[in-house]
Amino acid sequence: MRDPALPTATEPAPQGGVAVQLRGVTKRYRSGAAALGPLDLAVGRGEFVSLLGPSGCGKSTALRLIAGLAQPSGGTVELAAHPAARRGEHAIGFVFQEPTLMPWSSVRGNVALPLQLAHAGRAEIAARVDDALARVGLRDAAEALPRQLSGGMKMRVSLARALVTDPDILLMDEPFAALDEITRFRLNDDLLTLWRELRKTVVFVTHSVFEAVYLSQRVIVMTPKPGRIAAEFRVSAEEPRGAAFRSSAAYAARCREVSDALARATEPA
Ligand code: ADP
Ligand code: MG
């Protein structure tokens, strides 16, 4: 299943070091049983990792713990220190499944929000917002209101808002799950282009085997209740992602392997 020579969830070996390190992380919500863990996971700097698992297996919980939006019941979550010049609050960009845009504010206003909250100057905000909008292909939609946008465009706004602070780590929680397939494929490709250009560390949550395999360098399959790591797979970095990869035998074979592991992970004991 896993090539023993390759790095594992607990010890990745990318040259750039480790960006995110979870050690023995557990989460128990007050109202219920254990939701997550213990989870040991290390994500390399610049790596694209997907967490794959059925609904309720703790994927969102894991992302929230990494983001510091929730505290673990046990264990530790560490993020690598960022360059001294950077402000700590800019270390993470979060893209939620819902675009969660302010309906009364333009695309530009929505993307500017994190910088305004950080009290950035007007000129800096204008430059950064323009750059983020250009990167997600929304240069011409800057003055539009959210209700004038398609679902895919709203998600692009949400992505621009996450990128505008130039975070080291991008956390994405089923961002494309509600989109039609064509739009989703296009966003998948655009996200990969962004990742290649910007070299962010990405932790991407999905319940789609096909999406996880298409996007990721590493796919982590999780078990439900509590969410733990059942298996992990590497997808060769040499394979250029695109239409040819989507219809390749290698992609189909990888999807089948991951799909089987997911089925085993979710079987009732
Ligand atoms: P996923 O994102 O994989 O669907 P979640 O992380 O949202 O899973 O949830 C994992 C488990 O924790 C589920 O059983 C869910 O019901 C529970 N859970 C999530 N958030 C809360 C919360 N705020 N309070 C109580 N239980 C929660
Ligand atoms: Mg979730």
Side-chain angles (χ1 to χ4, degrees):
M1 192 164 56
R2 187 205 315 138
D3 180 340
L6 290 172
T8 68
T10 44
E11 40 145 353
Q15 306 78 341
V18 174
V20 179
Q21 178 96 54
L22 275 61
R23 285 197 180 89
V25 167
T26 58
K27 181 67 179 178
R28 180 184 292 273
Y29 289 104
R30 219 170 299 151
S31 53
L36 190 71
L39 200 61
D40 291 288
L41 172 67
V43 181
R45 227 184 247 281
E47 197 182 7
F48 196 125
V49 173
S50 285
L51 303 182
L52 173 72
S55 184
C57 81
K59 304 181 296 297
S60 296
T61 299
L63 279 197
R64 290 169 53 79
L65 292 172
I66 294 171
L69 297 172
Q71 295 308 311
S73 308
T76 57
V77 176
E78 284 170 54
L79 306 185
H82 12 266
R86 298 286 288 282
R87 280 168 285 182
E89 67 269 29
H90 288 174
I92 286 185
F94 208 123
V95 179
F96 300 93
Q97 180 169 352
E98 296 297 326
T100 59
L101 305 178
M102 303 180 290
W104 60 87
S105 180
S106 68
V107 165
R108 182 184 294 287
N110 272 284
V111 174
L113 182 68
L115 295 174
Q116 285 164 348
L117 292 175
H119 305 291
R122 283 172 78 109
E124 184 190 353
I125 292 178
R128 281 176 175 264
V129 170
D130 282 347
D131 180 60
L133 289 177
R135 285 197 184 279
V136 301
L138 285 182
R139 207 197 306 255
D140 296 333
E143 308 311 326
L145 289 171
R147 65 177 147 78
Q148 298 171 290
L149 306 177
S150 66
M153 287 170 88
K154 283 182 195 157
M155 191 42 75
R156 286 175 189 276
V157 179
S158 179
L159 186 55
R161 185 182 52 194
L163 290 172
V164 78
T165 55
D166 191 23
D168 297 322
I169 302 166
L170 193 55
L171 305 178
M172 307 184 75
D173 195 353
E174 308 205 40
F176 310 140
L179 302 176
D180 67 79
E181 197 167 81
I182 298 290
T183 304
R184 184 176 187 160
F185 284 4
R186 197 166 293 145
L187 276 156
N188 283 169
D189 286 331
D190 290 355
L191 174 61
L192 283 178
T193 302
L194 281 169
W195 172 67
R196 271 186 228 105
E197 286 171 4
L198 301 173
R199 308 309 309 184
K200 304 286 180 207
T201 305
V202 180
V203 183
F204 188 96
V205 160
T206 181
H207 58 248
S208 163
V209 170
F210 303 103
E211 184 169 60
V213 173
Y214 187 75
L215 290 174
S216 316
Q217 293 180 298
R218 193 152 57 109
V219 179
I220 312 263
V221 177
M222 291 176 64
T223 59
K225 289 184 178 85
R228 304 177 71 163
I229 295 176
E232 63 170 298
F233 297 86
R234 290 232 150 222
V235 186
S236 166
E238 285 83 65
E239 283 155 328
R241 315 295 159 96
F245 180 61
R246 256 193 217 288
S247 52
S248 70
Y251 176 62
R254 249 303 124 95
C255 288
R256 197 171 318 119
E257 264 184 288
V258 173
S259 198
D260 288 348
L262 184 61
R264 280 195 300 276
T266 51
E267 262 166 21

